[in-house]
Amino acid sequence: MVRDYLRREAVFVVSSAIILFFIAIGAARPDLLDAVSSAIHTVILDHFSWLYLISSFFFLLFVVGLALSKFGTIKLGHDAERPQYSFFGWIAMLFAAGMGIGLLFWGVSEPLIHYLQSPPFLTPETPAAAEFAMTYAFFHWGIHPWAIYTVVSLSIAYFSFRRGMPALISSCLYPVLGGRIYGPAGNLVDVLAVFATVFGTATSLGFGALQIHSGFTHLYGISSAISVTIGLIIIATALFMTSAILGVEKGVQILSKINIILACALLFFLLALGPTPYLFNIFSSTLGGYINNIIDLSLQSYPFSGNEWSREWTVFYWAWWTSWSPFVGLFIARISRGRTIREFVLSVLTVPPLFTFLWFSVFGGSALYLEQIPGVDLAAIAGTDISLVLFVFLEHYPFSALLSLIAIFLLIVFFVTSVDSATVVLSSLTSGGSMIVPLYKKVFWGLSLSTVAIILLVTGGLSALQVMAITAAFPFMIVMVILCYTLTIGLAQESVRQ
Amino acid sequence: MFEKTLVPVASGERPGELRKIGSILKSLGSGSVCLFHVNEAVSFFRGSDLSWLGPLAQALEDAGLSVEMKTGTGHIASAIAEAALMEGVDAVYMKAKRRWHLETMLLGSVSRDLLRLSDVPVFVHKLRPRLPDEEDRLGREDLIVLYATDFDAASVRPLPSVMEFQGARCHVLHVRRRMADPATERRRKEAVDGELHAVAEDLRPYFGWVTSEQRIGNPGVEALRVSDQISADVIVLGRKTPAFFSAPMGDTAERVVNESKASIFLVPHPGTPDGS
């Protein structure tokens, strides 16, 4: 009986054992965990940072190529199937997937940090540094992340909706693994997806917890000790657990929708009260620079001067998006049934990135605008405490306390909804792709995510979060390259199939 | 299939070797041979003397074949391919020569070029079947033939030639890619089994034993593997239109020719850019 369970639940048993082992080592010997993860991270960056750049660019070319090829007309579902959601409803859900803690965390701080700590070949705090900062913020949050998500979501959607297989990463590897997807090889792929999702999501949760804490410290002067951050994570986890146990997922979904509306309201409030024409100028000129230089940006690692900068930023982002891709990919796949590949790819690669461009133009552009005013030194704050800068930035607007409270509310809800969605995805990945999952799995993954975030924060704070995101993403990036190959095989066999 | 065969020869060829080749061709049903030599740049020592062809022709005649001698000029493989067409032969016979890999890479190989250029079937004789000694003959009844097919027009075309080999055993092999999902894979497997069964039935009257199988993988690799497993003497293939990547990477036929220990019988497909 035990043997049957172990065979049936191999992915859950193995992945939970790995995560528990990680938690145990982190709790007992944080120094050892830090040393090991840093060593792996250094090896990956020293030898394979270029691979992140090339593979991400390849993913972009691959999905655009698919959309424009004869395969673009193939439906993600049966030929007669209609899309499950209206176009606008679908776009709104894509927004929801793209919006998250990251946008709030990095919206103000990333352009400011690039402006203040630009690569060695650029003089910091100059107009050229500002232009560079905005271009790279667009680049890191532009179409590449969505191309990465698209590779995973297209593969899952194609193999599950059109080929009738379970919504698992291992299903997408059937053309190369055959029946072995049901054995250790397939389980290994699903374990890698779980591993990437846990650390990718934990990284976001860590960012969120740090920023919520900074917001409370800034508003109410509460202690900035790490124990408070941990306490906040525990409270947010308790909120999530309550919703999971009481079965109020519908309530969480409503909360999520309110959050999107609030985030949009915050964006338009800042756009209206800020230097609106200046922000639109930033939007338009940065978009032009981004489109014009996209190939150079995609492959540029500044090997002669600034390679370190490229590793710390671009490689980190590409790894982070990769580690998020099973989670977001699965979500996007589920809502995209019945759409053609062309419609899917072109919409995913245009609408959410345009929204994030606007977000960064408003938040980052306003911050750079304020930076020009004598006496305002947001960049210096960003340089010392990334999580605090959003709240200092909001101080320069009317109703700043209310705006900060809204930001904290957004962060808390994003935190809870992220854990909620991630646990659903993790539970599904560890239950053979089924959407009906036992409660104990949801509870286990919810607790694990929060505990991993706490361990990482205690071990090394922000840098530990980044280290683990890069490390966890590396094996999955290789899986994604194989996904491109298997998807091509599947699509090429469409005529044989018919 | 081998009624009239073109045998290209180069200077330095030994009459004893030609006698063995004649014996093999005779056992494969050949009646006449066109001995063909492509003149290369005139040798400093030998000049344009072609008298060395006489003993070679005599060796073939000793094996019971009628022989005519022809010469050509230019690119060797192209000249052979052109002569094969002009002389109306049924097949070209080539004895594969062992060359270093680097030499083949740099200079190419006549047999490889010929496989690509010839409009008539080409038989490249490799290690198997072994050249018979003076006293014994190649026993056709011992011949093991591997017929690799993927059921398209190019690979169905060699079927009559396979029948004419009439050996001890014929193994029909179909190598394909795995389908993208288990249900389609199951249907595909059943369909291929049906087609293999039909081909095997067609071949049964001509061979003592006919077997068939389908495999998933690279056609070149699997054909070589199966050929070694069954100790095939001849691999029969149909030549296809070369794919874009076959120029730098080599195609299945080239790979099989380069690496196989069994002989290759390659049947071109008319209508292809290089085979019409």
Side-chain angles (χ1 to χ4, degrees):
Chain A
M1 189 165 168
V2 174
R3 186 174 289 178
D4 272 357
Y5 178 82
L6 290 176
R7 192 175 298 139
R8 205 176 52 247
E9 300 286 351
V11 176
F12 177 70
V13 172
V14 174
S15 48
S16 57
I18 292 172
I19 300 301
L20 288 175
F21 178 73
F22 175 87
I23 291 170
I25 294 283
R29 292 284 307 278
D31 54 325
L32 180 69
L33 181 69
D34 189 36
V36 172
S37 59
S38 297
I40 297 170
H41 171 252
T42 307
V43 169
I44 291 173
L45 281 193
D46 282 352
H47 298 281
F48 300 108
S49 58
W50 56 273
L51 192 58
Y52 282 97
L53 298 184
I54 288 179
S55 56
S56 300
F57 187 51
F58 166 72
F59 295 145
L60 176 61
L61 294 181
F62 175 75
V63 293
V64 171
L66 273 190
L68 301 180
S69 72
K70 62 175 180 177
F71 302 133
T73 52
I74 292 173
K75 266 197 180 169
L76 299 172
H78 304 298
D79 287 333
E81 214 162 331
R82 314 282 289 170
Q84 280 184 327
Y85 301 96
S86 70
F87 184 76
F88 289 105
W90 179 59
I91 291 292
M93 282 188 270
L94 285 181
F95 275 142
M99 287 285 295
I101 291 168
L103 277 182
L104 277 166
F105 191 87
W106 294 107
V108 174
S109 58
E110 182 173 346
L112 282 175
I113 294 173
H114 294 336
Y115 176 69
L116 183 71
Q117 298 166 0
S118 47
F121 56 82
L122 211 59
T123 311
E125 299 183 66
T126 57
E131 192 182 325
F132 177 89
M134 284 310 299
T135 305
Y136 262 92
F138 270 39
F139 172 55
H140 291 151
W141 293 81
I143 58 174
H144 288 71
W146 291 95
I148 292 170
Y149 296 157
T150 302
V151 167
V152 180
S153 50
L154 255 189
S155 299
I156 294 174
Y158 177 76
F159 283 97
S160 60
F161 302 149
R162 198 162 174 90
R163 295 279 182 171
M165 298 179 74
L168 291 169
I169 306 291
S170 57
S171 302
C172 311
L173 299 187
Y174 185 82
V176 288
L177 291 179
R180 281 171 290 172
I181 62 163
Y182 306 112
N187 291 343
L188 174 70
V189 171
D190 289 329
V191 168
L192 287 178
V194 170
F195 190 62
T197 305
V198 167
F199 287 100
T201 316
T203 303
S204 297
L205 299 185
F207 287 157
L210 283 173
Q211 199 162 30
I212 293 166
H213 186 189
S214 291
F216 279 125
T217 305
H218 184 71
L219 281 181
Y220 304 112
I222 63 167
S223 163
S224 59
I226 190 77
S227 52
V228 180
T229 311
I230 294 169
L232 284 169
I233 293 178
I234 292 169
I235 293 168
T237 309
L239 283 174
F240 149 74
M241 301 284 277
T242 312
S243 87
I245 291 165
L246 295 179
V248 288
E249 278 88 355
K250 204 144 187 101
V252 175
Q253 282 174 25
I254 292 167
L255 213 55
S256 179
K257 282 173 191 162
I258 292 171
N259 226 31
I260 301 292
I261 294 165
L262 264 181
C264 292
L266 184 65
L267 175 76
F268 289 112
F269 182 78
L270 296 184
L271 179 65
L273 290 188
T276 314
Y278 175 84
L279 297 181
F280 277 122
N281 276 325
I282 286 184
F283 175 78
S284 127
S285 58
T286 312
L287 188 60
Y290 170 70
I291 293 169
N292 201 27
N293 296 305
I294 192 155
I295 295 175
D296 182 41
L297 289 165
S298 301
L299 300 172
Q300 186 58 267
S301 63
Y302 301 111
F304 305 112
S305 171
N307 184 244
E308 199 63 30
W309 185 93
S310 168
R311 285 179 184 192
E312 279 177 15
W313 286 98
T314 308
V315 173
F316 159 66
Y317 271 119
W318 282 188
W320 194 22
W321 304 136
T322 304
S323 63
W324 265 73
S325 61
F327 168 28
V328 181
L330 206 62
F331 171 75
I332 298 177
R334 286 212 168 113
I335 61 169
S336 304
R337 186 170 185 143
R339 297 196 181 273
T340 65
I341 288 179
R342 186 167 299 148
E343 182 185 12
F344 175 83
V345 172
L346 297 183
S347 305
V348 169
L349 289 190
T350 50
V351 182
L354 275 174
F355 184 81
T356 47
F357 292 158
L358 186 62
W359 182 277
F360 270 89
S361 299
V362 171
F363 281 77
S366 303
L368 288 172
Y369 177 81
L370 290 170
E371 190 64 22
Q372 316 299 323
I373 299 169
V376 178
D377 202 0
L378 287 172
I381 296 163
T384 52
D385 188 352
I386 298 177
S387 57
L388 185 64
V389 70
L390 171 70
F391 302 103
V392 179
F393 163 77
L394 290 175
E395 270 183 2
H396 297 277
Y397 288 85
F399 317 111
S400 61
L402 178 66
L403 291 179
S404 293
L405 272 178
I406 290 173
I408 291 171
F409 176 79
L410 286 172
L411 283 162
I412 292 172
V413 177
F414 274 138
F415 189 107
V416 174
T417 51
S418 294
V419 181
D420 187 66
S421 319
T423 51
V424 170
V425 167
L426 285 167
S427 306
S428 173
L429 281 174
T430 52
S431 304
S434 167
M435 278 306 287
I436 302 158
V437 291
L439 183 64
Y440 79 91
K441 280 189 184 171
K442 282 189 77 175
V443 171
F444 174 82
W445 287 121
L447 284 174
S448 298
L449 284 172
S450 303
T451 316
V452 169
I454 291 169
I455 295 279
L456 289 174
L457 281 174
V458 172
T459 314
L462 200 64
S463 63
L465 294 171
Q466 293 178 330
V467 164
M468 278 319 293
I470 291 174
T471 309
F474 185 70
F476 195 71
M477 183 180 67
I478 294 160
V479 172
M480 285 177 64
V481 174
I482 305 171
L483 289 185
C484 295
Y485 175 65
T486 54
L487 182 60
T488 313
I489 292 177
L491 292 171
Q493 286 176 2
E494 278 291 316
S495 55
V496 179
R497 188 171 159 259
Q498 277 153 15
Chain B
M1 175 175 61
F2 287 103
E3 181 54 36
K4 185 177 182 186
T5 311
L6 187 135
V7 180
V9 285
S11 64
E13 212 89 50
R14 291 192 304 271
E17 182 98 342
L18 260 287
R19 198 164 294 120
K20 292 176 183 176
I21 290 170
S23 167
I24 280 203
L25 289 175
K26 189 77 184 159
S27 67
L28 288 173
S30 187
S32 67
V33 164
C34 176
L35 200 60
F36 185 73
H37 171 66
V38 181
N39 285 319
E40 293 172 81
V42 175
S43 159
F44 178 78
F45 297 106
R46 204 173 47 242
S48 57
D49 177 25
L50 295 174
S51 59
W52 55 272
L53 276 171
L56 300 183
Q58 184 58 50
L60 288 171
E61 280 169 356
D62 290 349
L65 298 162
S66 69
V67 181
E68 56 178 320
M69 290 188 286
K70 298 278 177 182
T71 58
T73 54
H75 177 248
I76 299 174
S78 306
I80 296 170
E82 192 183 342
L85 210 57
M86 299 302 287
E87 297 300 324
V89 299
D90 300 304
V92 176
Y93 173 95
M94 280 203 78
K95 181 84 184 79
K97 297 216 167 31
R98 184 178 269 279
R99 299 182 86 164
W100 295 105
H101 183 63
L102 184 67
E103 193 185 353
T104 310
M105 258 173 57
L106 296 175
L107 302 174
S109 115
V110 174
S111 47
R112 249 168 67 172
D113 287 350
L114 186 61
L115 288 170
R116 191 161 45 84
L117 296 169
S118 177
D119 292 333
V120 298
V122 179
F123 185 86
V124 182
H125 195 156
K126 310 261 307 197
L127 293 177
R128 291 195 300 263
R130 187 176 57 83
L131 275 177
D133 293 329
E134 294 287 342
E135 60 275 10
D136 55 63
R137 284 169 60 86
L138 173 75
R140 197 164 171 172
E141 60 280 2
D142 298 329
L143 214 60
I144 299 175
V145 176
L146 171 65
Y147 171 38
T149 177
D150 56 8
F151 306 119
D152 62 358
S155 34
V156 167
R157 190 174 155 76
L159 191 60
S161 307
V162 178
M163 292 168 177
E164 284 188 50
F165 272 106
Q166 297 185 355
R169 179 187 177 186
C170 181
H171 187 74
V172 188
L173 173 70
H174 174 72
V175 185
R176 61 180 177 85
R177 272 185 165 174
R178 181 180 283 110
M179 294 288 106
D181 64 89
T184 315
E185 169 65 21
R186 200 166 44 249
R187 284 199 299 274
R188 183 75 181 148
K189 188 172 182 303
E190 284 165 8
V192 169
D193 276 340
E195 289 187 75
L196 280 173
H197 181 73
V199 173
E201 284 303 311
D202 286 347
L203 289 170
R204 219 172 285 286
Y206 303 92
F207 291 87
W209 184 27
V210 179
T211 49
S212 64
E213 73 172 310
Q214 57 175 307
R215 288 191 174 207
I216 288 168
N218 178 294
V221 174
E222 294 303 324
L224 289 167
R225 194 170 287 158
V226 174
S227 159
D228 280 346
Q229 282 170 3
I230 64 168
S231 300
D233 294 305
V234 183
I235 303 174
V236 182
L237 296 165
R239 190 181 71 202
K240 301 176 139 193
T241 309
F244 178 76
F245 285 110
S246 69
M249 307 293 283
D251 59 12
T252 302
E254 268 187 31
R255 179 165 195 173
V256 173
V257 169
N258 287 342
E259 298 173 30
S260 169
K261 290 184 185 122
S263 298
I264 314 299
F265 189 71
L266 189 81
V267 181
H269 180 51
T272 56
D274 58 349
S276 54

